[in-house]
Each structure stands twice: as structure tokens, then as C-alpha cells.
Amino acid sequence: VVLMFGSWEGLGRAGVVDPFYFSMPSSIVARIWEWFTAGDIYTHLAITLAETILSFGIGTLLGISLGLWLGLSRLAAEVLDPFIKVFNAIPRILLAPIFVMWFGLGLTSKVALGATMVLFITFFNTYQGVREVNPVVLSNSRILGAKRSDLLRHVYFPAAASWILSSLRTSVGFAVVGAIIGEYLGASAGLGYLIARSEGNFDAVGVFAGIIILAVFVLIIDLILDIAEKRLIT
């Protein structure tokens, strides 16, 4: 890492690499310091974080609910299966302009895009987890007098829990992607907006600075999710 960034800095200062297009690590660090000392970056971070949390929460809730419903109802699964496959085949980025037209440039369009990206990941994992329930356990539970609500609470949901937890890390990443893409295509604030604004001004330093802040932002969220996952498992 030191060799890579040191070479980048040296080649930029020597003029071998044009700093206008590739910037330099020292300039990027200075820009990040400038953003944080000025204080404007905190508003952009808060907006992107809010969009990520809402996208993750809404998409996860809808995905789990839909996965449980279709996993328990074969008739509903057979009826809705072709519609789900068609909608899942559509690249989610193509929905971004539609959501902007429907909901405007505010928070709602970004949350809608992020939620659709999270929904299918959680849905397919929940659906598979419900379908993988041991039939012997189901039979024994019914013999012991378990009602449908008891089966859902004590059999189906615990069986699908490991599948759901495995999808959460990926879902968070897609929630961030949805928020950033939405901001990049049209917004007045957020990390995606910062990167798009820098790109529009041919400001390579701002683009790289925004990407690094975004990378650290995602790593912090991933760390929080890792701690939460360990607590839930134990």
C-alpha cells in the first residue's frame, strides 16, 4: 500500500502522471481534511446514511414478509413466480430515472431504488430458508399440536434465520449502492452528489476524495453489521 501510494505521489510530482486527471494522494488527503474542517461533509454523510438505513430497513422487511408468504403458500408462489422473475431480471439502475420522475430528487426516490435492490436479495434467501425446513420437524410439531402461528414462530422463522442473516451483509452493500446511484443521477446533497459535482467540474481530487470517504463509510457500516450479527448469533 505504501509503495502504491508513494509511487502515485512521486509520479504525479514528477509530471509523469498528469495530476489534473489522476490527482495525487497528498491533494486528496488535503481535500478530505478541508471538507471535514469546513463541516459541509457531515450533512452529505447524514443524508446518505439516512437513505441507506431506510432502504435497508424497508427492503429487508418487505423481502422477509414476501419470502415467508410465498414460502408458506405454494399457490401464491406459482402464481407470482413469473412476475417476480421478470421484475428481478430488470437491471435496478434502469428504475432510477423512473423513481426520480415519480418521487422527485428528494430522499424518497433514493430510498425506493435502494429498497428494490435490497428486497430481492432478502426475499430469495428467506424463501429458500422456509422451503428448506425439515419435513420431519414440521410433522412432529403438528403432532404435538402446534398451530400455524406456532410453526411460523418456532419452526419456519428460526430455520430461515441463518439464510436471512447471510443476506444482510450483501443487502447493506446494495442499499448503499442504491443511495449513491440515486444521488449520482439527481440530487442536491449526499456523497453521490459530491462525486457527481466534482466530476462535472473536472475535479479529479474531489472525485477520489468522495470515493475514499464512501469506502470508509461502507467499512464502518460493515463493521457495525458484523458486531450486530455476532450478537444475534450468540
Side-chain angles (χ1 to χ4, degrees):
V1 173
V2 172
L3 179 62
M4 181 183 70
F5 284 103
S7 301
W8 183 6
E9 181 74 22
L11 291 172
R13 290 186 180 277
V16 178
V17 174
D18 191 346
F20 180 80
Y21 295 104
F22 297 96
S23 184
M24 292 186 296
S26 58
S27 301
I28 296 169
V29 171
R31 179 64 60 85
I32 293 174
W33 176 258
E34 177 187 336
W35 282 352
F36 276 95
T37 52
D40 294 339
I41 189 67
Y42 298 108
T43 301
H44 297 289
L45 284 170
I47 290 173
T48 301
L49 179 61
E51 292 167 353
T52 300
I53 292 174
L54 289 172
S55 300
F56 177 72
I58 294 173
T60 300
L61 181 61
L62 292 176
I64 292 174
S65 302
L66 188 62
L68 287 173
W69 175 40
L70 298 188
L72 296 174
S73 175
R74 292 189 178 274
L75 176 61
E78 291 175 0
V79 171
L80 296 178
D81 181 67
F83 299 100
I84 292 173
K85 288 180 178 178
V86 168
F87 195 78
N88 186 45
I90 300 173
R92 240 66 78 204
I93 191 172
L94 297 180
L95 299 175
I98 297 175
F99 289 144
V100 169
M101 287 190 295
W102 286 353
F103 305 118
L105 297 175
L107 180 120
T108 307
S109 59
K110 284 68 177 177
V111 172
L113 178 61
T116 57
M117 300 183 77
V118 170
L119 187 151
F120 284 99
I121 299 172
T122 312
F123 161 71
F124 284 117
N125 278 271
T126 305
Y127 179 79
Q128 190 65 32
V130 171
R131 287 298 179 91
E132 292 290 331
V133 172
N134 192 329
V136 177
V137 175
L138 280 175
S139 300
N140 290 338
S141 300
R142 290 191 179 102
I143 291 172
L144 293 172
K147 300 178 181 178
R148 189 176 181 86
S149 58
D150 297 323
L151 291 175
L152 181 63
R153 180 181 178 185
H154 298 291
V155 180
Y156 286 112
F157 196 77
S162 60
W163 291 79
I164 296 171
L165 288 174
S166 67
S167 69
L168 293 183
R169 192 179 303 276
T170 308
S171 298
V172 167
F174 275 94
V176 175
V177 169
I180 296 301
I181 290 175
E183 292 171 354
Y184 189 83
L185 293 177
S188 57
L191 292 179
Y193 163 77
L194 273 183
I195 296 172
R197 186 183 67 181
S198 299
E199 179 189 351
N201 294 329
F202 294 97
D203 181 12
V205 178
V207 172
F208 281 109
I211 291 173
I212 291 173
I213 292 173
L214 177 61
V216 175
F217 176 79
V218 174
L219 286 174
I220 293 173
I221 293 177
D222 187 73
L223 178 62
I224 295 171
L225 183 63
D226 187 50
I227 295 172
E229 185 178 347
K230 288 179 180 179
R231 287 183 178 273
L232 288 172
I233 292 174
T234 55

